[in-house]
Amino acid sequence: DKKISCDRLEAKALWDIGYTDQRTGGEVVSTLDSYLTSHGWRKSTNINDCKYGSIVLVSKNGTSGPPYHAFTVVNYDSRSGVMTSYDEGAEWRIHSSQPFTTTYYNQSLIYGVYNMN
């Protein structure tokens, strides 16, 4: 159906830049944290660490709940709270013009911001 979920998008992007040792079928939201940190990605729980290429995991309860969504940051303006990202996983986002711009994500939702070292 040419649709891709949020974690499939991240797994494919990681595969394309050389992370080919993923689990069969690619990493999923629940395994991205351990996969990224075990491969040297620096984890932060501060939304202000978002920058071009960051992978972000969000949770309904921030760091105290399991992640349920993932996306890749294109740009984040901490003054306005506007984030532009490659963001899939919901029908309306899949059909939106990508990269997608939103003010939906905030510090209380951040499970982790991951940047390459």
Side-chain angles (χ1 to χ4, degrees), residues 2-110:
K2 299 185 182 186
K3 295 178 185 174
I4 189 167
S5 65
C6 63
D7 49 8
R8 298 294 133 217
L9 180 66
E10 298 308 320
K12 174 71 167 99
L14 288 165
W15 184 277
D16 287 350
I17 62 172
Y19 292 90
T20 58
D21 64 340
Q22 298 178 50
R23 57 189 258 155
T24 302
E27 298 305 316
V28 295
V29 171
S30 62
T31 64
L32 275 168
D33 175 76
S34 61
Y35 183 82
L36 292 168
T37 56
S38 72
H39 285 74
W41 288 61
R42 187 179 67 256
K43 178 182 180 180
S44 168
T45 55
N46 187 333
I47 195 170
N48 291 320
D49 290 333
C50 287
K51 60 185 180 182
Y52 181 79
S54 298
I55 294 175
V56 176
L57 299 179
V58 295
S59 166
K60 291 180 179 16
N61 298 312
T63 57
S64 65
Y68 74 94
H69 184 52
F71 57 87
T72 300
V73 175
V74 175
N75 183 48
Y76 176 64
D77 182 341
S78 61
R79 293 170 305 204
S80 66
V82 173
M83 183 176 291
T84 304
S85 60
Y86 288 101
D87 193 343
E88 302 287 348
E91 190 74 26
W92 64 275
R93 285 194 305 262
I94 289 170
H95 294 292
S96 69
S97 178
Q98 296 284 330
F100 175 77
T101 298
T102 185
T103 55
Y104 175 74
Y105 298 109
N106 58 50
Q107 181 63 48
S108 67
L109 296 172
I110 298 300

